[in-house]
Amino acid sequence: MAEATVDRRRLVPRTDAVLADRRLVDAAARLGRGPVKAAVVAAQQRARSGELDPGQVATAALDALPATAGGLRAVLNATGVVLHTNLGRAALSPAALRAVAAAGGHTDVELDLATGKRARRGRCALAALGAAVPDAEDVHLVNNGAAALVLAATALAAGKEIVVSRGELVEIGDGFRLPDLLESTGARLREVGTTNRTALVDYTSAIGPRTGFILKVHPSNFVVRGFTRAVDVAELTGLGVPVVADIGSGLLAPDPLLPDEPDAAATLRAGADLVIASGDKLLGGPQAGLLLGAADLIEALRRHPLARALRVDKLTLAALQATLTGPTTPTWQALRYDREALRARTQRLRDRLAAAGAEVELVASVAVVGGGGAPELELASWALSLPDRYAEPLRRSATAVVGRVERGRLLLDLRCVPADRDDDLVAAVVAIGGR
């Protein structure tokens, strides 16, 4: 046994010899020598332990490398969750991706090319957002929805009170809770009503000389039913203080598919002075915090010192403008995917996989919006059903495929998988089935 171990180690190629492989030379030029050498060393160790054939060290190292130097791996979202937070929420449109690539070099982000003088940062993206929601007198952008709320609370209510219903003090994910976020700005929360019922008199009784604003928060990732009562934005106007409405999911205008989801335009028409929304949810764009509303409030936010710390970069500005002005987004398309067309596509892949020997079935499924949007909306869907033993190998494969496991089966819903990636998905599943 000791002799076999020695022989195996002698067969493992030297690091410099592996790094001389043309494929790894090209990878080092693309990714940097450090990550490539680390992948080679890891593959050598696998060969020494007997897990890998010594002749496959270079290939194994190459397979372990990311596609780009960014580190994030592209995955195929086959979960049936359109806006999956763990997968980066909205997938950018081809138009947005091209805009990001164009913005990667030097740009006129703060320069007027006609005059050669400094220009307003993000003016084109801001104009596109304003045009998309003409009910807003002015608009502003920060780097996410939570940042938008922090900026509003700091600029309008630091040292003052924010009046908010107890039923709207939500947790926004990963343990971050709205009360903690707001109190970190120096504002004091004046909670009114109860968890399930809040009336207009609760608000009017709480308003006083120290009130900064009334906050309305849409509980976008849960629903309370039964003996409930809430006060609409329209009822809160005219009370002498600004009304700030955090609608969450980023719907800019009414959508028949999402009748219960608040949108920015309708909320402003109802009387909200300031609306806060996210860019990477139903809007289908990059992560961003959208602020829309009264011109004087937006100007106060824009001029606050914290605004600079929360500003978006040129890549976000480019992606957001392309999302607002370009073709329909992958999010829009996934939400409206024709069920019969999805069934036919899934059936074709099922037949190909079955012919290759995979244990696969076509099953009816249910997809959801995700990302804190439309929690009760169910989208009738179809999925490939495989034994759950496929789940981990597919996640770890060169074409990382992420599905969902239910009752011992791995379901792969093609709703969010680009059609031109079907061959990659089939190849990944077939490769696992042959192990």
Side-chain angles (χ1 to χ4, degrees):
M1 183 177 298
E3 183 178 351
T5 301
V6 171
D7 289 343
R8 185 184 305 120
R9 291 177 177 175
R10 286 177 176 173
L11 292 174
V12 176
R14 299 191 321 272
T15 302
D16 59 345
V18 181
L19 288 171
D21 185 294
R22 171 51 56 186
R23 297 171 298 170
L24 292 173
V25 170
D26 292 342
R30 186 178 74 252
L31 304 174
R33 181 179 172 83
V36 174
K37 183 176 180 180
V40 169
V41 171
Q44 289 173 316
Q45 186 55 44
R46 290 174 61 195
R48 292 187 185 99
S49 67
E51 180 185 346
L52 183 70
D53 185 279
Q56 295 299 311
V57 166
T59 299
L62 193 68
D63 289 344
L65 291 171
T68 70
L72 294 177
R73 288 195 59 192
V75 305
L76 295 183
N77 176 13
T79 63
V81 180
V82 177
L83 299 170
H84 199 303
T85 297
N86 301 132
L87 300 182
R89 292 184 179 157
L92 294 181
S93 67
L97 291 173
R98 289 191 294 270
V100 168
H106 294 130
T107 72
D108 61 345
V109 63
E110 289 187 26
L111 178 69
D112 185 327
L113 294 176
T115 65
K117 296 181 179 179
R118 184 172 185 146
R120 182 182 177 187
R121 183 182 182 86
R123 58 201 177 279
C124 296
L126 290 167
L129 180 58
V133 190
D135 294 280
E137 294 179 5
D138 202 354
V139 299
H140 186 59
L141 296 170
V142 290
N143 52 30
N144 64 20
L149 187 55
V150 163
L151 180 58
T154 304
L156 306 179
K160 299 182 180 180
E161 294 182 343
I162 298 173
V163 179
V164 59
S165 169
R166 287 187 174 89
E168 297 173 9
L169 293 174
V170 299
E171 183 173 309
I172 58 179
D174 197 27
F176 290 97
R177 295 177 172 176
L178 194 64
D180 299 334
L181 187 72
L182 292 170
E183 289 174 347
S184 72
T185 68
R188 178 176 178 271
L189 295 188
R190 182 71 178 270
E191 301 175 20
V192 299
T194 63
T195 302
N196 59 318
R197 290 179 66 83
T198 302
L200 180 59
V201 66
D202 295 319
Y203 289 96
T204 57
S205 299
I207 292 174
R210 294 190 58 77
T211 302
F213 60 82
I214 296 172
L215 176 63
K216 282 289 295 179
V217 181
H218 178 58
S220 54
N221 56 3
F222 70 93
V223 175
V224 178
R225 294 198 176 279
F227 188 57
T228 64
R229 183 179 181 184
V231 182
D232 295 331
V233 167
E235 300 177 77
L236 296 172
T237 60
L239 298 183
V241 295
V243 176
V244 177
D246 187 340
I247 64 172
S249 64
L251 195 62
L252 298 187
D255 188 335
L257 181 66
L258 307 162
D260 298 323
E261 196 70 13
D263 65 274
T267 304
L268 287 168
R269 287 196 295 270
D273 298 284
L274 186 67
V275 169
I276 293 171
S278 295
D280 58 346
K281 296 182 181 179
L282 290 173
L283 180 58
Q287 177 179 294
L290 316 181
L291 291 142
L292 313 98
D296 60 335
L297 296 185
I298 294 294
E299 183 63 16
L301 303 185
R302 181 182 294 119
R303 301 309 305 171
H304 193 278
L306 187 59
R308 183 173 181 85
L310 301 177
R311 74 180 188 178
V312 297
D313 71 340
K314 61 182 180 179
L315 305 183
T316 300
L317 291 169
L320 182 64
Q321 182 178 348
T323 299
L324 291 165
T325 63
T328 57
T329 65
T331 297
W332 190 96
Q333 295 167 5
L335 291 174
R336 290 161 176 80
Y337 206 129
D338 180 78
R339 187 169 185 260
E340 289 310 307
L342 181 59
R343 185 187 191 283
R345 178 186 168 199
T346 309
Q347 181 69 57
R348 289 193 296 271
L349 265 63
R350 182 266 166 202
D351 293 345
R352 290 174 61 183
L353 290 170
E359 307 169 48
V360 60
E361 300 173 5
L362 173 69
V363 298
S365 182
V366 173
V368 296
V369 175
E376 292 196 300
L377 180 65
E378 293 186 345
L379 304 167
S381 200
W382 296 92
L384 299 168
S385 175
L386 296 153
D388 63 1
R389 65 179 178 83
Y390 281 81
E392 182 181 356
L394 276 176
R395 291 196 306 270
R396 297 167 66 92
S397 66
T399 300
V401 181
V402 182
R404 71 179 190 273
V405 175
E406 293 182 359
R407 300 183 181 91
R409 302 290 293 182
L410 172 65
L411 301 185
L412 301 179
D413 188 320
L414 305 181
R415 179 178 295 271
C416 296
V417 177
D420 62 3
R421 300 299 305 277
D422 284 357
D423 289 347
D424 295 328
L425 188 148
V426 168
V429 173
V430 169
I432 292 168
R435 294 180 184 177

